[in-house]
Amino acid sequence: MQLNAPLDMHLHLRDGEMLEKIAKSSAETFSGAIIMPNLVPPVSTKEEVVAYRQRIEKAIGKETFTPYMTLFFKPSYDKAFLESIKDEITAIKLYPAGITTNSEGGVSGFDVEELRPALEAMSELNIPLCVHGETNGFVMDREAEFASIYERLATAFPKLKIIMEHITTKSSVDLLDKFENLYASITIHHLLITLDDVAGGMLKPHLFCKPIAKRPEDRDALLKVALAAHPKVMFGSDSAPHPKHAKEACGCAAGVFTSPIALQLLAELFDNNNASVENLQAFVSGNAQNIYDISVPNKTVFLEKTPFKVPSDYNGVVPMYADEEIAYSITKVENN
Ligand code: DOR
Ligand code: ZN
């Protein structure tokens, strides 16, 4: 099997030492990725975006890989500011305040009139809005509760492209066909696991993430649109590395590290479900290119159905399925 120009439309590359450790695990196999801005402090000025891109480029070295940069949404962004930064970014990421790692400076209340100046300017400038869609309600209901906020935003800003990030519920899948301007990214872990895998037996800290994995019927709804390569969904790993000590701790950081094994797992998943390679190609690249209207550097990844033993860690970061065998291996990557 071969995949052309795979894209990861939701990635945490971090900064400093962690960036140096993990950047290559995406850059070696993906053509590009949407880079999340939840650093400390969050990426929110032109200088910060440009400097962060340069640090990423340095960390990936000579690999062919485009970091599609994002900015951390603030209601105070005005049109002049957005115009000045438009060419440096591909999207803007909105976090509800305090909902996940480094999101304290995010949005509270979701008052449309308060958000209108920034969101209308983004709409006019054709800058997509990526959203972490969770309320601060009961953990299993947070995403479903956010559906009414998605509906409010999609209705108030009909020309704004809104990407529901890392969706985990049937309620989010149902919104895709209700609103023309709603799209979604889906992770590999939410296609594979449910809450049972995280907490049904011994607690698995390396599968703990936000949003938490949900019920089997939610996973089924995600699988249905991913395997069919519904044109409004795309792969976004939400690969979110944390040091081993921060995961295997009393107070476990949220995030699943999947970037080095994401394509192998996707190949296995599509194969096990008799979904076509064409659909996988659309899910992992074509749909994202259409949704974001981006051009992508060439890269061909060759995969084979040969077992691959997942390492126990990558530079001290424990991946999903550490020490386990998965069915597909990457045999070759051509940058062309
Ligand atoms: O599990 C998560 N980890 N979810 C997020 O939204 C953020 C991410 C992180 O940055 O660690
Ligand atoms: Zn994320």
Side-chain angles (χ1 to χ4, degrees):
M1 174 192 306
Q2 72 189 61
L3 295 173
N4 298 316
L7 293 169
D8 181 348
M9 303 311 281
H10 184 129
L11 177 65
H12 297 270
L13 278 183
R14 312 300 193 204
D15 208 352
E17 210 182 311
M18 183 60 94
L19 170 64
E20 299 292 329
K21 283 182 180 170
I22 54 96
K24 285 206 168 73
S25 68
S26 290
E28 283 169 358
T29 52
F30 286 91
S31 273
I34 293 272
I35 310 299
M36 289 298 132
N38 61 332
L39 305 182
V40 187
V43 181
S44 49
T45 66
K46 187 168 178 177
E47 293 68 35
E48 285 165 354
V49 174
V50 171
Y52 186 33
R53 186 210 311 276
Q54 287 166 353
R55 294 197 296 279
I56 292 170
E57 282 167 353
K58 188 157 168 271
I60 64 182
K62 58 177 178 23
E63 299 294 340
T64 306
F65 177 84
T66 303
Y68 299 99
M69 304 304 289
T70 65
L71 202 63
F72 188 97
F73 179 86
K74 290 189 179 165
S76 57
Y77 292 154
D78 62 18
K79 190 156 182 199
F81 168 71
L82 292 172
E83 234 157 8
S84 74
I85 202 166
K86 185 180 177 338
D87 293 343
E88 300 297 339
I89 58 171
T90 303
I92 297 182
K93 173 75 185 282
L94 185 155
Y95 288 93
I99 203 66
T100 189
T101 313
N102 306 333
S103 63
E104 291 70 22
V107 169
S108 341
F110 287 91
D111 173 24
V112 166
E113 293 319 311
E114 189 200 341
L115 302 175
R116 187 175 295 282
L119 294 185
E120 231 149 48
M122 286 174 62
S123 181
E124 281 161 23
L125 295 167
N126 206 14
I127 303 172
L129 178 75
C130 301
V131 180
H132 182 119
E134 289 194 286
T135 66
N136 55 9
F138 179 66
V139 69
M140 285 294 279
D141 296 336
R142 287 175 189 177
E143 186 173 307
E145 286 175 4
F146 202 88
S148 62
I149 299 176
Y150 277 132
E151 294 191 4
R152 211 189 303 159
L153 295 176
T155 306
F157 308 99
K159 293 262 155 19
L160 178 68
K161 257 183 197 171
I162 301 172
I163 293 122
M164 302 183 285
E165 294 295 335
H166 43 53
I167 58 170
T168 62
T169 60
K170 182 170 183 313
S171 53
S172 298
V173 171
D174 290 342
L175 288 177
L176 287 169
D177 293 325
K178 275 203 202 145
F179 293 89
E180 206 184 323
N181 56 334
L182 288 183
Y183 302 82
S185 65
I186 304 181
T187 74
I188 181 63
H189 49 284
H190 291 120
L191 291 170
L192 289 170
I193 64 171
T194 68
L195 184 61
D196 248 9
D197 297 287
V198 186
M202 300 273 267
L203 189 67
K204 298 280 174 48
H206 298 290
L207 299 181
F208 171 65
C209 64
K210 303 279 182 71
I212 191 92
K214 304 290 188 314
R215 309 178 67 87
E217 51 271 36
D218 291 306
R219 181 181 57 182
D220 289 348
L222 301 175
L223 273 169
K224 194 168 167 213
V225 284
L227 296 171
H230 185 301
K232 295 178 90 181
V233 304
M234 56 199 153
F235 175 64
S237 71
D238 199 14
S239 182
H242 292 276
K244 187 174 179 185
H245 65 81
K247 293 292 290 176
E248 297 177 6
C250 170
C252 164
V256 185
F257 180 53
T258 53
S259 48
I261 53 162
L263 294 176
Q264 300 91 315
L265 291 177
L266 283 167
E268 182 173 353
L269 178 75
F270 274 62
D271 184 8
N272 286 346
N273 287 280
N274 299 314
S276 68
V277 179
E278 290 71 32
N279 282 9
L280 176 53
Q281 179 64 47
F283 180 61
V284 83
S285 187
N287 288 357
Q289 292 186 48
N290 294 336
I291 293 167
Y292 275 93
D293 195 16
I294 46 174
S295 58
V296 177
N298 275 338
K299 180 173 286 201
T300 309
V301 180
F302 296 80
L303 296 122
E304 210 174 76
K305 198 167 185 178
T306 306
F308 174 67
K309 169 109 187 290
V310 180
S312 50
D313 72 271
Y314 288 85
N315 287 327
V317 182
V318 180
M320 185 182 186
Y321 295 150
D323 295 319
E324 292 181 41
E325 213 169 71
I326 58 176
Y328 273 78
S329 303
I330 292 176
T331 52
K332 188 169 60 157
V333 180
E334 271 174 11
N335 292 297
N336 37 30

